[in-house]
Amino acid sequence: MSERPPVADWATDFDHLSEEWAADGPEIMADLRERCPVAHTERFYGAYLVTRHDDITETARDTDTFSSCITAVNTNHPDNIKLDLSPITLDPPEHGPVRRPLLPSFSPKATDELEPTVVAMAERLLDDIGDAKLTDGALDYAQLLPVEVMGYLFGVSAEMGPTFRRWVDGMLKEGQIDLDIARVASREVQEFFARQLDEREQEGDEAPDDLVTMVLNAQAELSDSSTRPFTRKERIGALFVLMLGGIDTTWSTLGSMLFHLGTHPDDLKRLVDEPELMPTAIEEFLRYYSPVTIARYITEDAEIAGCPVSKGERVLLAYPSANRDPAYFENPDELILDRENNRHMAFGVGVHRCLGSNLARMELRVGLTAWLERFPRFELAVDPGDVKWSVGPIRGPRSVPLRILD
């Protein structure tokens, strides 16, 4: 990764793709919430960063002024970003007709039916770790489970796992800085899903019951109650989004959970001793380690919290910052396993709220429960400051070296 010019002042020169941001993002956002809740930078052809809960909510819901046609702030000029990732890059009224047909595949019922398969996957990954006293909670477990789940849902061979991981890293991490990496990954993903769609179409009634077939047969639900088949671009875009959204966000959160428990023995002991806390603990991990910061494109000159913002620039909605806003959460910088009032926005807010939230919650619960049943005592094997966090729109630990204790 090339060296980046140091940040002079995070309020006027922020760089969310820097290693400093990756390491100290929560502290930087806490400072900005107090002194400059709408920061700006001339980097990235001009961009804004919104850090307060109410301002993020209001901006996310104003889809006319703040469009989802571009969802990332990187070194690519906005005019050069043409990637169509339906439905995430669509605004109302085009957004709903493409999103709604995808929802049943991620309903509570569908997620419950999938759970035994995910449990078996988690158990097998833990079997692979075996009796090792040193393991990497991220590389050997957290980054593998969501990849296996999505591969299963797509109906593809488990051998695609490393390729999925490379594509995700290429799009959401290295590719945010090196655009050539992103272009290659994007092209390969689109070509892959195009082939998968062609295969399902050729198989006809014999096609497997997976997400590719579901998207192939999906009908956009129009406002006049009529329907139409998804276009080719919508099909590929939907599968692209499901892969990206279903992998990195979940592995980043699961890795963060293992990092936290490996550095907070009291929380680890309590969660092992009181497994009934798991539902509230999962929500608190999601709040505290929210992985996603997403962008919008400014369609006209406007204001956010009284701060003028310019048409043609982009704005980052820092969901992790909203989830530590003291105006909404008591003791926001403390992880409280049994926190009761926890209306976090780790899954976003507004029309683009994550459609796979049921699946993500189930994977996190199953993944952590299986780990704690197998390894109830463990600790981080390195200094916490030596753990590197990912650069890009999804924040999570790149590696979590753990020592398994007797």
Side-chain angles (χ1 to χ4, degrees), residues 37-39 48-68 70 91-92 294-300 302-309 313-319 322 345 348-352:
V38 182
Y48 302 87
L49 173 68
V50 187
T51 58
R52 288 183 181 170
H53 187 286
D54 284 349
D55 301 332
I56 291 171
T57 300
E58 183 176 348
T59 303
R61 288 178 172 163
D62 183 357
T63 56
D64 290 334
T65 308
F66 304 102
S67 171
S68 294
I70 297 175
D91 298 313
I294 203 161
R296 298 287 184 261
Y297 177 76
I298 304 171
T299 63
E300 58 183 333
E303 289 187 355
I304 300 176
C307 174
V309 296
E313 296 193 9
R314 289 169 284 182
V315 55
L316 282 166
L317 306 181
Y319 294 139
M345 60 171 75
V349 64
V351 298
H352 285 287

